[in-house]
Amino acid sequence: MTGAFICGGILFPLVLLALSGGAGLLVRQLSGAWLPAVLVLPVGFGLVVATCAFATYISFLAPAAGYIVLAFAFAGIALAARAGTLRMPRPRGIPWAALAALFAFAAIGAPTLLTGTPTWTGYSRIVDIGFQMDFARYVAELGRVSAGNNSSYELVVGKLLNIGYPGGAQVTLGAIAALIHTNLAWCYQMYHAVAAAMGALAIYSLLGRVTASRVLRAVGAAVAIQPTVLYAYALEGGIKELTTASLLMTVAAVLAERLPGEGPRLERLPGEGPRLSVLPAAVSISGAFAAFSIGVAPWLGLLLAMLFVLTLVRQRERLRTLGSWVLLAVIAIVMSLPGVISLLTALSGIASTAIGGVVELGLGNLAAPVPDWSAAGVWLTADYRFPLVHVAMTHRLDVFVLACAVIGILYALGRRRWTIAFIGISAPIALAYYMAHSTAWLQFKSFTITGVFALTL
């Protein structure tokens, strides 16, 4: 093994996991220590992504993003130790959650790890990964200051900056790689693997609302984070979509445990716990926004709107509940404020590329449009860019998944597992929005994320 392989393939994921754990402990302690152990890492990962993204909008903070995250992690560990909660969770249930996360991690990371050399997958298929690495390095070092036009490197970065390109995932990669003094190219694939593991943990927690079987939850989580189009795209360099899917599932898992204005889990007592109990949800929302910008709105906006109405309808102390929702919104907006400002300033440029409200990005690197059937999570072909190979088998499995998803929604409604039911309602509406307001390339990206919702259901 070379030093680059050890640093990129082994040290990087361990450091990112440790930072996510410390950041998750910080959120847990500040929110009243109600956050379940299985969600500490995913929520902490959300804070890492949100923090790194925030820092890059203030140019002098950009090089310090990794160290800011490190300070948060140490603060979380210190607060947990002071409170006497810094201890290993009870083994009951945790090994199955860890197994689900390990399976997801291995599915993305093994093709690189098994080579025994520092490398990444997908570059022989598309060269977008090179652009993502350039963007990650530039933003992690210099922030979002305007790039020059003296080289192809600066031209590529400048183009992405000018359109307000979301960079939460990329800058997290760049910041943590810089923290361990390793070329981010050797860490690229391992970042994807960690993001997949975070999504598996979130889904494992979410599935606990409908089944007590840890084995079923582990299998479901390991599978649901890997719809074939998302898995294929992750192996070919797509960095935003896997991060976004994982953080959207983290938002859902957190809200399934505790809605604003209500107590944790089944207690649902109004006003229970500190006001900052909304912090885990706000952090996760901010992380998802940092990863995908306004693109998360079709999924996230509808889910939050339905849950907002639900809590107001079934709570007597509506004013207190409304206050909790307002606090959630304020925290999420403040954490995302630089990104929101950047998005608003870039809207005019984005609007100039749209005709009749449809964003014109064409086929991207697709040879032909990918049909919306792929959003069901099964798409059996060797390369997502080209037409389907196993047509009959793919459609049979997609119909099977969709039928099971409908049963899942009905089951969740019958059990009053509202968050799960609402993600089932919001996912097809979000998909319909993307189909109506974007062209083939953006539609494909929406399929990669919607597939996680479908398989979870």
PDB file of all heavy atoms in Angstrom, residues 320-356:
ATOM      1  N   ARG A 320     -47.403  27.652  20.334  1.00  0.00           N
ATOM      2  CA  ARG A 320     -46.090  27.112  20.683  1.00  0.00           C
ATOM      3  C   ARG A 320     -45.549  26.253  19.542  1.00  0.00           C
ATOM      4  O   ARG A 320     -44.364  26.300  19.223  1.00  0.00           O
ATOM      5  CB  ARG A 320     -46.200  26.281  21.967  1.00  0.00           C
ATOM      6  CG  ARG A 320     -44.842  25.843  22.520  1.00  0.00           C
ATOM      7  CD  ARG A 320     -45.003  25.010  23.776  1.00  0.00           C
ATOM      8  NE  ARG A 320     -43.711  24.691  24.338  1.00  0.00           N
ATOM      9  CZ  ARG A 320     -43.091  25.396  25.267  1.00  0.00           C
ATOM     10  NH1 ARG A 320     -43.665  26.487  25.744  1.00  0.00           N
ATOM     11  NH2 ARG A 320     -41.915  25.028  25.734  1.00  0.00           N
ATOM     12  N   THR A 321     -46.443  25.483  18.931  1.00  0.00           N
ATOM     13  CA  THR A 321     -46.021  24.665  17.800  1.00  0.00           C
ATOM     14  C   THR A 321     -45.551  25.542  16.647  1.00  0.00           C
ATOM     15  O   THR A 321     -44.522  25.271  16.013  1.00  0.00           O
ATOM     16  CB  THR A 321     -47.177  23.765  17.331  1.00  0.00           C
ATOM     17  OG1 THR A 321     -47.551  22.903  18.401  1.00  0.00           O
ATOM     18  CG2 THR A 321     -46.773  22.931  16.134  1.00  0.00           C
ATOM     19  N   LEU A 322     -46.294  26.598  16.371  1.00  0.00           N
ATOM     20  CA  LEU A 322     -45.906  27.530  15.313  1.00  0.00           C
ATOM     21  C   LEU A 322     -44.553  28.160  15.621  1.00  0.00           C
ATOM     22  O   LEU A 322     -43.702  28.314  14.725  1.00  0.00           O
ATOM     23  CB  LEU A 322     -46.973  28.618  15.174  1.00  0.00           C
ATOM     24  CG  LEU A 322     -46.721  29.682  14.098  1.00  0.00           C
ATOM     25  CD1 LEU A 322     -46.657  29.043  12.718  1.00  0.00           C
ATOM     26  CD2 LEU A 322     -47.806  30.751  14.150  1.00  0.00           C
ATOM     27  N   GLY A 323     -44.330  28.470  16.900  1.00  0.00           N
ATOM     28  CA  GLY A 323     -43.039  29.032  17.290  1.00  0.00           C
ATOM     29  C   GLY A 323     -41.891  28.075  17.034  1.00  0.00           C
ATOM     30  O   GLY A 323     -40.802  28.494  16.608  1.00  0.00           O
ATOM     31  N   SER A 324     -42.127  26.780  17.258  1.00  0.00           N
ATOM     32  CA  SER A 324     -41.086  25.791  16.998  1.00  0.00           C
ATOM     33  C   SER A 324     -40.759  25.703  15.511  1.00  0.00           C
ATOM     34  O   SER A 324     -39.600  25.581  15.111  1.00  0.00           O
ATOM     35  CB  SER A 324     -41.528  24.418  17.521  1.00  0.00           C
ATOM     36  OG  SER A 324     -41.656  24.420  18.925  1.00  0.00           O
ATOM     37  N   TRP A 325     -41.798  25.754  14.679  1.00  0.00           N
ATOM     38  CA  TRP A 325     -41.577  25.729  13.228  1.00  0.00           C
ATOM     39  C   TRP A 325     -40.833  26.983  12.767  1.00  0.00           C
ATOM     40  O   TRP A 325     -39.953  26.905  11.894  1.00  0.00           O
ATOM     41  CB  TRP A 325     -42.901  25.601  12.493  1.00  0.00           C
ATOM     42  CG  TRP A 325     -43.388  24.186  12.402  1.00  0.00           C
ATOM     43  CD1 TRP A 325     -44.354  23.597  13.171  1.00  0.00           C
ATOM     44  CD2 TRP A 325     -42.938  23.175  11.494  1.00  0.00           C
ATOM     45  NE1 TRP A 325     -44.525  22.284  12.797  1.00  0.00           N
ATOM     46  CE2 TRP A 325     -43.674  22.006  11.769  1.00  0.00           C
ATOM     47  CE3 TRP A 325     -41.989  23.153  10.478  1.00  0.00           C
ATOM     48  CZ2 TRP A 325     -43.488  20.808  11.061  1.00  0.00           C
ATOM     49  CZ3 TRP A 325     -41.785  21.973   9.766  1.00  0.00           C
ATOM     50  CH2 TRP A 325     -42.526  20.819  10.062  1.00  0.00           C
ATOM     51  N   VAL A 326     -41.193  28.119  13.338  1.00  0.00           N
ATOM     52  CA  VAL A 326     -40.499  29.355  12.981  1.00  0.00           C
ATOM     53  C   VAL A 326     -39.030  29.265  13.369  1.00  0.00           C
ATOM     54  O   VAL A 326     -38.132  29.658  12.598  1.00  0.00           O
ATOM     55  CB  VAL A 326     -41.173  30.569  13.656  1.00  0.00           C
ATOM     56  CG1 VAL A 326     -40.321  31.824  13.497  1.00  0.00           C
ATOM     57  CG2 VAL A 326     -42.553  30.797  13.072  1.00  0.00           C
ATOM     58  N   LEU A 327     -38.764  28.737  14.560  1.00  0.00           N
ATOM     59  CA  LEU A 327     -37.379  28.584  15.006  1.00  0.00           C
ATOM     60  C   LEU A 327     -36.616  27.639  14.075  1.00  0.00           C
ATOM     61  O   LEU A 327     -35.453  27.901  13.727  1.00  0.00           O
ATOM     62  CB  LEU A 327     -37.339  28.065  16.439  1.00  0.00           C
ATOM     63  CG  LEU A 327     -35.945  27.900  17.052  1.00  0.00           C
ATOM     64  CD1 LEU A 327     -35.214  29.234  17.095  1.00  0.00           C
ATOM     65  CD2 LEU A 327     -36.041  27.292  18.449  1.00  0.00           C
ATOM     66  N   LEU A 328     -37.248  26.529  13.678  1.00  0.00           N
ATOM     67  CA  LEU A 328     -36.629  25.606  12.729  1.00  0.00           C
ATOM     68  C   LEU A 328     -36.258  26.337  11.444  1.00  0.00           C
ATOM     69  O   LEU A 328     -35.135  26.194  10.929  1.00  0.00           O
ATOM     70  CB  LEU A 328     -37.593  24.458  12.431  1.00  0.00           C
ATOM     71  CG  LEU A 328     -37.243  23.539  11.255  1.00  0.00           C
ATOM     72  CD1 LEU A 328     -35.933  22.814  11.511  1.00  0.00           C
ATOM     73  CD2 LEU A 328     -38.365  22.543  10.997  1.00  0.00           C
ATOM     74  N   ALA A 329     -37.201  27.120  10.918  1.00  0.00           N
ATOM     75  CA  ALA A 329     -36.950  27.843   9.673  1.00  0.00           C
ATOM     76  C   ALA A 329     -35.825  28.857   9.839  1.00  0.00           C
ATOM     77  O   ALA A 329     -34.948  28.981   8.963  1.00  0.00           O
ATOM     78  CB  ALA A 329     -38.229  28.533   9.207  1.00  0.00           C
ATOM     79  N   VAL A 330     -35.819  29.576  10.959  1.00  0.00           N
ATOM     80  CA  VAL A 330     -34.796  30.601  11.181  1.00  0.00           C
ATOM     81  C   VAL A 330     -33.412  29.986  11.250  1.00  0.00           C
ATOM     82  O   VAL A 330     -32.454  30.468  10.614  1.00  0.00           O
ATOM     83  CB  VAL A 330     -35.104  31.393  12.475  1.00  0.00           C
ATOM     84  CG1 VAL A 330     -33.915  32.259  12.867  1.00  0.00           C
ATOM     85  CG2 VAL A 330     -36.342  32.253  12.283  1.00  0.00           C
ATOM     86  N   ILE A 331     -33.280  28.897  12.014  1.00  0.00           N
ATOM     87  CA  ILE A 331     -31.970  28.250  12.135  1.00  0.00           C
ATOM     88  C   ILE A 331     -31.501  27.733  10.786  1.00  0.00           C
ATOM     89  O   ILE A 331     -30.337  27.931  10.388  1.00  0.00           O
ATOM     90  CB  ILE A 331     -32.025  27.101  13.161  1.00  0.00           C
ATOM     91  CG1 ILE A 331     -32.318  27.647  14.557  1.00  0.00           C
ATOM     92  CG2 ILE A 331     -30.696  26.331  13.171  1.00  0.00           C
ATOM     93  CD1 ILE A 331     -32.526  26.563  15.597  1.00  0.00           C
ATOM     94  N   ALA A 332     -32.380  27.062  10.057  1.00  0.00           N
ATOM     95  CA  ALA A 332     -32.005  26.513   8.754  1.00  0.00           C
ATOM     96  C   ALA A 332     -31.608  27.619   7.783  1.00  0.00           C
ATOM     97  O   ALA A 332     -30.626  27.485   7.040  1.00  0.00           O
ATOM     98  CB  ALA A 332     -33.153  25.683   8.186  1.00  0.00           C
ATOM     99  N   ILE A 333     -32.349  28.727   7.801  1.00  0.00           N
ATOM    100  CA  ILE A 333     -32.050  29.829   6.886  1.00  0.00           C
ATOM    101  C   ILE A 333     -30.736  30.508   7.255  1.00  0.00           C
ATOM    102  O   ILE A 333     -29.912  30.817   6.388  1.00  0.00           O
ATOM    103  CB  ILE A 333     -33.204  30.849   6.873  1.00  0.00           C
ATOM    104  CG1 ILE A 333     -34.434  30.232   6.203  1.00  0.00           C
ATOM    105  CG2 ILE A 333     -32.795  32.135   6.153  1.00  0.00           C
ATOM    106  CD1 ILE A 333     -35.685  31.083   6.308  1.00  0.00           C
ATOM    107  N   VAL A 334     -30.517  30.731   8.551  1.00  0.00           N
ATOM    108  CA  VAL A 334     -29.271  31.366   8.979  1.00  0.00           C
ATOM    109  C   VAL A 334     -28.072  30.498   8.609  1.00  0.00           C
ATOM    110  O   VAL A 334     -27.051  31.003   8.104  1.00  0.00           O
ATOM    111  CB  VAL A 334     -29.296  31.636  10.497  1.00  0.00           C
ATOM    112  CG1 VAL A 334     -27.915  32.042  11.000  1.00  0.00           C
ATOM    113  CG2 VAL A 334     -30.311  32.731  10.822  1.00  0.00           C
ATOM    114  N   MET A 335     -28.177  29.204   8.826  1.00  0.00           N
ATOM    115  CA  MET A 335     -27.077  28.308   8.473  1.00  0.00           C
ATOM    116  C   MET A 335     -26.842  28.260   6.965  1.00  0.00           C
ATOM    117  O   MET A 335     -25.729  27.981   6.511  1.00  0.00           O
ATOM    118  CB  MET A 335     -27.365  26.888   8.985  1.00  0.00           C
ATOM    119  CG  MET A 335     -27.342  26.744  10.487  1.00  0.00           C
ATOM    120  SD  MET A 335     -27.561  25.036  11.014  1.00  0.00           S
ATOM    121  CE  MET A 335     -26.058  24.295  10.369  1.00  0.00           C
ATOM    122  N   SER A 336     -27.889  28.534   6.200  1.00  0.00           N
ATOM    123  CA  SER A 336     -27.791  28.473   4.738  1.00  0.00           C
ATOM    124  C   SER A 336     -27.758  29.848   4.099  1.00  0.00           C
ATOM    125  O   SER A 336     -27.804  29.950   2.869  1.00  0.00           O
ATOM    126  CB  SER A 336     -28.991  27.695   4.177  1.00  0.00           C
ATOM    127  OG  SER A 336     -29.129  26.427   4.787  1.00  0.00           O
ATOM    128  N   LEU A 337     -27.685  30.912   4.927  1.00  0.00           N
ATOM    129  CA  LEU A 337     -27.877  32.267   4.423  1.00  0.00           C
ATOM    130  C   LEU A 337     -26.927  32.636   3.273  1.00  0.00           C
ATOM    131  O   LEU A 337     -27.391  33.181   2.257  1.00  0.00           O
ATOM    132  CB  LEU A 337     -27.747  33.268   5.566  1.00  0.00           C
ATOM    133  CG  LEU A 337     -28.142  34.709   5.240  1.00  0.00           C
ATOM    134  CD1 LEU A 337     -29.585  34.775   4.763  1.00  0.00           C
ATOM    135  CD2 LEU A 337     -27.954  35.594   6.470  1.00  0.00           C
ATOM    136  N   PRO A 338     -25.626  32.381   3.385  1.00  0.00           N
ATOM    137  CA  PRO A 338     -24.765  32.731   2.248  1.00  0.00           C
ATOM    138  C   PRO A 338     -25.170  32.017   0.969  1.00  0.00           C
ATOM    139  O   PRO A 338     -25.141  32.612  -0.112  1.00  0.00           O
ATOM    140  CB  PRO A 338     -23.369  32.290   2.720  1.00  0.00           C
ATOM    141  CG  PRO A 338     -23.447  32.277   4.198  1.00  0.00           C
ATOM    142  CD  PRO A 338     -24.840  31.840   4.506  1.00  0.00           C
ATOM    143  N   GLY A 339     -25.565  30.751   1.090  1.00  0.00           N
ATOM    144  CA  GLY A 339     -26.008  30.006  -0.087  1.00  0.00           C
ATOM    145  C   GLY A 339     -27.296  30.565  -0.651  1.00  0.00           C
ATOM    146  O   GLY A 339     -27.482  30.614  -1.875  1.00  0.00           O
ATOM    147  N   VAL A 340     -28.191  31.004   0.228  1.00  0.00           N
ATOM    148  CA  VAL A 340     -29.451  31.593  -0.229  1.00  0.00           C
ATOM    149  C   VAL A 340     -29.176  32.891  -0.973  1.00  0.00           C
ATOM    150  O   VAL A 340     -29.738  33.146  -2.055  1.00  0.00           O
ATOM    151  CB  VAL A 340     -30.390  31.851   0.972  1.00  0.00           C
ATOM    152  CG1 VAL A 340     -31.617  32.636   0.524  1.00  0.00           C
ATOM    153  CG2 VAL A 340     -30.802  30.527   1.601  1.00  0.00           C
ATOM    154  N   ILE A 341     -28.300  33.724  -0.430  1.00  0.00           N
ATOM    155  CA  ILE A 341     -27.953  34.990  -1.083  1.00  0.00           C
ATOM    156  C   ILE A 341     -27.302  34.733  -2.437  1.00  0.00           C
ATOM    157  O   ILE A 341     -27.631  35.382  -3.447  1.00  0.00           O
ATOM    158  CB  ILE A 341     -27.020  35.821  -0.180  1.00  0.00           C
ATOM    159  CG1 ILE A 341     -27.763  36.231   1.100  1.00  0.00           C
ATOM    160  CG2 ILE A 341     -26.507  37.049  -0.922  1.00  0.00           C
ATOM    161  CD1 ILE A 341     -26.870  36.902   2.126  1.00  0.00           C
ATOM    162  N   SER A 342     -26.380  33.782  -2.463  1.00  0.00           N
ATOM    163  CA  SER A 342     -25.719  33.445  -3.727  1.00  0.00           C
ATOM    164  C   SER A 342     -26.719  32.935  -4.752  1.00  0.00           C
ATOM    165  O   SER A 342     -26.641  33.269  -5.941  1.00  0.00           O
ATOM    166  CB  SER A 342     -24.642  32.382  -3.484  1.00  0.00           C
ATOM    167  OG  SER A 342     -24.045  31.964  -4.690  1.00  0.00           O
ATOM    168  N   LEU A 343     -27.667  32.131  -4.295  1.00  0.00           N
ATOM    169  CA  LEU A 343     -28.693  31.606  -5.202  1.00  0.00           C
ATOM    170  C   LEU A 343     -29.540  32.736  -5.778  1.00  0.00           C
ATOM    171  O   LEU A 343     -29.801  32.777  -6.989  1.00  0.00           O
ATOM    172  CB  LEU A 343     -29.589  30.625  -4.448  1.00  0.00           C
ATOM    173  CG  LEU A 343     -30.821  30.120  -5.196  1.00  0.00           C
ATOM    174  CD1 LEU A 343     -30.407  29.257  -6.375  1.00  0.00           C
ATOM    175  CD2 LEU A 343     -31.731  29.343  -4.257  1.00  0.00           C
ATOM    176  N   LEU A 344     -29.935  33.692  -4.926  1.00  0.00           N
ATOM    177  CA  LEU A 344     -30.774  34.790  -5.396  1.00  0.00           C
ATOM    178  C   LEU A 344     -30.048  35.657  -6.409  1.00  0.00           C
ATOM    179  O   LEU A 344     -30.634  36.107  -7.403  1.00  0.00           O
ATOM    180  CB  LEU A 344     -31.228  35.639  -4.201  1.00  0.00           C
ATOM    181  CG  LEU A 344     -32.178  34.952  -3.215  1.00  0.00           C
ATOM    182  CD1 LEU A 344     -32.480  35.865  -2.033  1.00  0.00           C
ATOM    183  CD2 LEU A 344     -33.474  34.540  -3.911  1.00  0.00           C
ATOM    184  N   THR A 345     -28.755  35.876  -6.190  1.00  0.00           N
ATOM    185  CA  THR A 345     -27.994  36.696  -7.132  1.00  0.00           C
ATOM    186  C   THR A 345     -27.747  35.977  -8.440  1.00  0.00           C
ATOM    187  O   THR A 345     -27.523  36.606  -9.474  1.00  0.00           O
ATOM    188  CB  THR A 345     -26.638  37.101  -6.524  1.00  0.00           C
ATOM    189  OG1 THR A 345     -25.909  35.926  -6.154  1.00  0.00           O
ATOM    190  CG2 THR A 345     -26.820  37.976  -5.295  1.00  0.00           C
ATOM    191  N   ALA A 346     -27.776  34.628  -8.408  1.00  0.00           N
ATOM    192  CA  ALA A 346     -27.534  33.861  -9.632  1.00  0.00           C
ATOM    193  C   ALA A 346     -28.812  33.562 -10.403  1.00  0.00           C
ATOM    194  O   ALA A 346     -28.751  33.072 -11.529  1.00  0.00           O
ATOM    195  CB  ALA A 346     -26.834  32.541  -9.288  1.00  0.00           C
ATOM    196  N   LEU A 347     -29.984  33.873  -9.816  1.00  0.00           N
ATOM    197  CA  LEU A 347     -31.247  33.508 -10.455  1.00  0.00           C
ATOM    198  C   LEU A 347     -31.421  34.164 -11.825  1.00  0.00           C
ATOM    199  O   LEU A 347     -31.973  33.551 -12.739  1.00  0.00           O
ATOM    200  CB  LEU A 347     -32.417  33.873  -9.548  1.00  0.00           C
ATOM    201  CG  LEU A 347     -32.721  32.883  -8.417  1.00  0.00           C
ATOM    202  CD1 LEU A 347     -33.892  33.372  -7.581  1.00  0.00           C
ATOM    203  CD2 LEU A 347     -33.005  31.498  -8.971  1.00  0.00           C
ATOM    204  N   SER A 348     -30.966  35.388 -11.974  1.00  0.00           N
ATOM    205  CA  SER A 348     -31.124  36.054 -13.266  1.00  0.00           C
ATOM    206  C   SER A 348     -30.347  35.336 -14.343  1.00  0.00           C
ATOM    207  O   SER A 348     -30.822  35.179 -15.475  1.00  0.00           O
ATOM    208  CB  SER A 348     -30.668  37.509 -13.169  1.00  0.00           C
ATOM    209  OG  SER A 348     -29.313  37.572 -12.763  1.00  0.00           O
ATOM    210  N   GLY A 349     -29.140  34.862 -13.985  1.00  0.00           N
ATOM    211  CA  GLY A 349     -28.352  34.111 -14.953  1.00  0.00           C
ATOM    212  C   GLY A 349     -28.985  32.776 -15.277  1.00  0.00           C
ATOM    213  O   GLY A 349     -28.978  32.329 -16.433  1.00  0.00           O
ATOM    214  N   ILE A 350     -29.555  32.138 -14.260  1.00  0.00           N
ATOM    215  CA  ILE A 350     -30.222  30.857 -14.494  1.00  0.00           C
ATOM    216  C   ILE A 350     -31.462  31.066 -15.349  1.00  0.00           C
ATOM    217  O   ILE A 350     -31.745  30.292 -16.260  1.00  0.00           O
ATOM    218  CB  ILE A 350     -30.599  30.202 -13.150  1.00  0.00           C
ATOM    219  CG1 ILE A 350     -29.331  29.857 -12.364  1.00  0.00           C
ATOM    220  CG2 ILE A 350     -31.435  28.951 -13.367  1.00  0.00           C
ATOM    221  CD1 ILE A 350     -29.605  29.347 -10.969  1.00  0.00           C
ATOM    222  N   ALA A 351     -32.197  32.139 -15.062  1.00  0.00           N
ATOM    223  CA  ALA A 351     -33.415  32.407 -15.819  1.00  0.00           C
ATOM    224  C   ALA A 351     -33.129  32.634 -17.288  1.00  0.00           C
ATOM    225  O   ALA A 351     -33.932  32.289 -18.153  1.00  0.00           O
ATOM    226  CB  ALA A 351     -34.134  33.622 -15.230  1.00  0.00           C
ATOM    227  N   SER A 352     -31.955  33.195 -17.597  1.00  0.00           N
ATOM    228  CA  SER A 352     -31.625  33.447 -18.992  1.00  0.00           C
ATOM    229  C   SER A 352     -31.407  32.172 -19.779  1.00  0.00           C
ATOM    230  O   SER A 352     -31.426  32.184 -21.009  1.00  0.00           O
ATOM    231  CB  SER A 352     -30.372  34.323 -19.078  1.00  0.00           C
ATOM    232  OG  SER A 352     -29.239  33.619 -18.615  1.00  0.00           O
ATOM    233  N   THR A 353     -31.192  31.048 -19.079  1.00  0.00           N
ATOM    234  CA  THR A 353     -31.013  29.775 -19.772  1.00  0.00           C
ATOM    235  C   THR A 353     -32.314  29.021 -19.914  1.00  0.00           C
ATOM    236  O   THR A 353     -32.347  27.912 -20.424  1.00  0.00           O
ATOM    237  CB  THR A 353     -30.017  28.886 -19.003  1.00  0.00           C
ATOM    238  OG1 THR A 353     -30.590  28.517 -17.758  1.00  0.00           O
ATOM    239  CG2 THR A 353     -28.704  29.607 -18.782  1.00  0.00           C
ATOM    240  N   ALA A 354     -33.401  29.606 -19.387  1.00  0.00           N
ATOM    241  CA  ALA A 354     -34.684  28.914 -19.407  1.00  0.00           C
ATOM    242  C   ALA A 354     -35.617  29.505 -20.450  1.00  0.00           C
ATOM    243  O   ALA A 354     -35.612  30.701 -20.696  1.00  0.00           O
ATOM    244  CB  ALA A 354     -35.343  28.986 -18.021  1.00  0.00           C
ATOM    245  N   ILE A 355     -36.406  28.663 -21.053  1.00  0.00           N
ATOM    246  CA  ILE A 355     -37.401  29.070 -22.022  1.00  0.00           C
ATOM    247  C   ILE A 355     -38.733  28.530 -21.552  1.00  0.00           C
ATOM    248  O   ILE A 355     -38.914  27.328 -21.427  1.00  0.00           O
ATOM    249  CB  ILE A 355     -37.065  28.531 -23.423  1.00  0.00           C
ATOM    250  CG1 ILE A 355     -35.686  29.030 -23.872  1.00  0.00           C
ATOM    251  CG2 ILE A 355     -38.132  28.935 -24.422  1.00  0.00           C
ATOM    252  CD1 ILE A 355     -35.236  28.443 -25.191  1.00  0.00           C
ATOM    253  N   GLY A 356     -39.684  29.445 -21.298  1.00  0.00           N
ATOM    254  CA  GLY A 356     -40.999  29.001 -20.855  1.00  0.00           C
ATOM    255  C   GLY A 356     -40.965  28.253 -19.541  1.00  0.00           C
ATOM    256  O   GLY A 356     -41.783  27.371 -19.298  1.00  0.00           O
TER     257      GLY A 356
END
